[in-house]
Amino acid sequence: MSGEDTGPEALLEVYGTALPAVYGFVVRRCPDRRVAEDVTSETFLAAMDSVRRDADLTPTVPWLLGVARHKLADHWRRAQRTPEPMPDVPDPPGEDLAEVHLDRMIAHHTLAQLTPIHRSVLTLRYVDDLPVAECAEIMGRTVGATEALLTRAKRAFRAAYPGQPARSTRKGGRA
């Protein structure tokens, strides 16, 4: 795409490159391939609406990934469930691969036990590595409410993590 292409034509030009990137992004966060395909379609439909409204908009793959992130959040809110949040991350060099794999499986299992809203906020913050303010925007919450939610989600994760002793995190002996 030449740096000056804008509007619907520009979206069509970037489509071939962007489709695998957007679908890959969505399918790693959504275990049901049909839902991943639907969210990917919604992403491109929303992108087309945007470039039709703003003819000066130049669509790029990163911009489309941002649209996909918002469409995923919309899906999670509508469905009151979240995707399996563990993407394929390369193994750190020098670590025991069996232990790393086991840690991932335990974390994945622990996340699956959490409420959808807790899984969502932990996924956005720690898997997608988004700042709290962006998590708040995606989830339709204030930053303060998102920070409080993140605190509760981390507490719930620690409590559900196998082999962790139950411990009090508040005064008065209640977790």
Side-chain angles (χ1 to χ4, degrees):
M1 187 162 92
S2 70
E4 58 213 44
D5 291 337
T6 59
E9 295 80 18
L11 181 60
L12 291 174
E13 284 185 35
V14 76
Y15 179 82
T17 304
L19 180 61
V22 170
Y23 180 72
F25 174 84
V26 173
V27 79
R28 283 192 306 273
R29 289 156 177 81
C30 189
D32 184 336
R33 291 202 183 274
R34 288 176 303 182
V35 172
E37 290 168 2
D38 290 346
V39 171
T40 300
S41 294
E42 289 175 21
T43 297
F44 283 97
L45 288 171
M48 185 57 80
D49 287 344
S50 293
V51 296
R52 283 184 176 145
R53 279 193 309 272
D54 182 359
D56 294 329
L57 184 63
T58 302
T60 62
V61 173
W63 176 75
L64 286 163
L65 291 175
V67 174
R69 181 178 289 126
H70 286 278
K71 289 298 169 185
L72 266 173
D74 291 345
H75 168 74
W76 294 340
R77 276 192 292 267
R78 277 192 315 267
Q80 288 298 302
R81 65 177 180 81
T82 59
E84 298 297 324
M86 301 305 293
D88 294 330
V89 178
D91 294 320
E95 289 197 30
D96 179 9
L97 296 181
E99 190 172 315
V100 169
H101 183 66
L102 180 61
D103 287 345
R104 283 188 191 150
M105 287 175 40
I106 292 170
H108 185 264
H109 175 74
T110 303
L111 280 169
Q113 295 178 37
L114 301 180
T115 63
I117 194 77
H118 285 168
R119 284 194 308 262
S120 294
V121 74
L122 290 171
T123 299
L124 291 169
R125 178 67 183 102
Y126 297 109
V127 175
D128 292 342
D129 199 28
L130 297 177
V132 174
E134 195 167 339
C135 296
E137 180 183 334
I138 289 170
M139 297 182 78
R141 295 172 158 269
T142 65
V143 171
T146 303
E147 287 173 343
L149 176 63
L150 192 55
T151 299
R152 290 189 307 273
K154 289 188 291 189
R155 186 180 302 135
F157 183 89
R158 282 191 298 270
Y161 198 84
Q164 294 297 315
R167 63 180 185 172
S168 174
T169 56
R170 287 190 204 160
K171 291 182 182 177
R174 291 190 163 159

